[in-house]
Amino acid sequence: MIIDGHNDLVLQRWRGEQPGHTRLEDAPAAGFAGGFFALYVPSPGTPDPPQIPYSVPLPDPIPHETAVATAEELLETLCSLPVARAESAADFVAGRVTAIVHMEGAEPIAPDLSNLERWYERGLRSVGLTWSRPNAFGEGVPFRFPSGADIGPGLTDAGRALVRACNTLGILVDLSHLNAAGFWDVARVSDRPLVATHSNAHALCAASRNLADEQLAAIRDSGGVVGVNFAVTFLREDGANVPETPLTEIVRHVAYLAERMGVDHVAFGSDFDGATIPAELDGIAGLPKLVDSLRAAGFGDEDVAKITHRNWLRVLADTWSGR
Ligand code: ZN
C-alpha cells in the first residue's frame, strides 16, 4: 500500500485537463491508496523555474472572497472523483483510493477563522498555511535556486491562531511552502507532529523549497514526517528542470532523510501533476519501480512499509485526534 503526501489532480480536473501523473485507473496495480489531494487556488502565471540560478518573486496575494469561490469549486471537483474521503487513518485500506482534503494555502479560510469549522465539516483535514505567496496567516518561500528559506517575516497573529485552532479540531498543519520564520513559529505554537508534505533535503539540493538540517531535526523530534517530493528541480544537485532525471535521485533524498531523522520520519510526497518528475517514474503506474529502487538501495520490508504508508498513518492518527 502506498500513501502519498501531495498531488494536484484536483487542479488538473478543475482546469478540464487530463491527469498526466495521477491516473487513478493505474492505482490498483500500483498499490496506490491515495493521500493528500490539494485544493490549490492558482496564482496567475506561475512560471516554470527558469535558468539556474533563478529567483522568482512572490506572486500577489489572492483575495479571500476569490479564494473561497475557487476552493468551493475545487472541493466539488474532488468530490466528483472516484475516491473515498479520509476522516481517520483507518479510512486508508488496500484496494481503494482515499483522499485527504488538503488546502494548499489557507486563503479560503477567513482571517478571523469564522468559516474554519464549516470547512472541517466539509472534509478539510489538512492545511498548508501558505503556498509560495503571502496571505493573512504568513508568508510562503519564493522559488529560488540556490537559496535558503530564511526570507520574509513569520506567522501573523491570525496564523498562530489558525495553528492552535487546527490542533484543537484535528487538522494537520503542513509546513511545505512556508518560509523559515513561519516554520519556526509553527514549531513553537503547534502541539502536534511537524509535517512537510512535499519537500526535500536542502543539503542535497539547494532549492529554497527544501528543508535545512535544523528543520529536519525539529520534525524528527516532534514525531513528524517529511514527504519526499519527486519534482526534479527539488531533487537534483543542480536544480535543473530535466525530465530525464533518474528515479535514484528520489532514493538519494529518502536515504539522506532516513540517515538524518531515522526511517520513521520519511515518506512520499510526489507532487504528481504539479511538477516535472523523473520520466522513468511517469506517475502512479511507476511507483512499484520506485519501491524496487528503495529495496535495491538496501531498504528492507519493514523500512519500505514505513516509507510507503506506515509513517503517514502514524502521523495522521496522532494529528487527527481533536480535543
Ligand atoms: Zn506545492
Side-chain angles (χ1 to χ4, degrees):
M1 179 156 86
I2 293 174
I3 299 176
D4 174 55
H6 191 90
N7 75 66
D8 284 304
L9 175 63
V10 173
L11 181 66
Q12 291 283 104
R13 297 298 274 267
W14 178 76
R15 284 176 164 157
E17 295 165 6
Q18 286 306 307
H21 304 143
T22 322
R23 294 180 300 269
L24 296 177
E25 62 272 24
D26 295 334
F32 179 78
F36 295 72
F37 282 55
L39 309 182
Y40 163 68
V41 178
S43 274
T46 309
D48 278 337
Q51 297 299 342
I52 309 294
Y54 61 84
S55 176
V56 180
L58 287 172
D60 291 337
I62 300 278
H64 173 61
E65 294 73 20
T66 311
V68 169
T70 304
E72 280 173 356
E73 290 178 19
L74 291 164
L75 181 58
E76 251 173 70
T77 304
L78 191 159
C79 291
S80 74
L81 298 173
V83 299
R85 265 173 297 153
E87 295 191 342
S88 88
D91 291 332
F92 286 91
V93 291
R96 75 169 186 199
V97 175
T98 302
I100 298 164
V101 181
H102 167 73
M103 223 177 239
E104 188 173 26
E107 287 87 350
I109 296 170
D112 65 1
L113 312 185
S114 54
N115 66 352
L116 180 63
E117 288 198 32
R118 177 82 185 104
W119 278 116
Y120 180 86
E121 284 161 14
R122 285 188 281 185
L124 183 71
R125 290 296 180 276
S126 173
V127 171
L129 298 180
T130 68
W131 185 69
S132 287
R133 65 190 171 208
N135 64 26
F137 304 103
E139 198 160 297
V141 68
F143 294 104
R144 285 186 192 168
F145 188 96
S147 173
D150 191 7
I151 305 165
L155 299 190
T156 62
D157 289 345
R160 281 186 289 273
L162 177 56
V163 173
R164 284 188 211 100
C166 285
N167 284 171
T168 304
L169 278 170
I171 296 175
L172 184 146
V173 175
D174 178 21
L175 294 158
S176 288
H177 286 279
L178 198 57
N179 64 5
F183 178 102
W184 293 112
D185 282 342
V186 173
R188 272 186 289 273
V189 171
S190 179
D191 62 6
R192 299 298 162 117
L194 299 175
V195 175
T197 57
H198 59 306
S199 295
N200 292 339
H202 193 272
L204 300 188
C205 169
S208 55
R209 274 274 285 104
N210 286 341
L211 296 161
D213 287 344
E214 312 87 75
Q215 293 177 304
L216 299 178
I219 290 169
R220 175 199 62 212
D221 294 346
S222 75
V225 73
V226 175
V228 171
N229 194 318
F230 302 170
V232 296
T233 51
F234 302 153
L235 288 170
R236 298 169 60 95
E237 194 175 1
D238 64 6
N241 194 18
V242 180
E244 295 76 30
T245 298
L247 58 78
T248 47
E249 283 292 291
I250 300 171
V251 178
R252 195 169 72 96
H253 281 263
V254 169
Y256 181 85
L257 295 173
E259 190 194 309
R260 297 294 304 196
M261 299 192 290
V263 76
D264 289 342
H265 306 284
V266 191
F268 292 153
S270 70
D271 221 341
F272 282 158
D273 288 310
T276 305
I277 65 167
E280 61 174 318
L281 183 60
D282 189 38
I284 285 177
L287 287 169
K289 235 191 286 182
L290 175 58
V291 172
D292 288 345
S293 299
L294 288 177
R295 291 186 194 282
F299 290 96
D301 288 346
E302 186 83 357
D303 291 345
V304 167
K306 287 177 176 180
I307 294 164
T308 53
H309 61 280
R310 275 199 215 148
N311 290 339
W312 274 130
L313 292 175
R314 181 195 76 235
V315 166
L316 293 175
D318 288 349
T319 305
W320 285 348
S321 52
R323 281 152 307 164

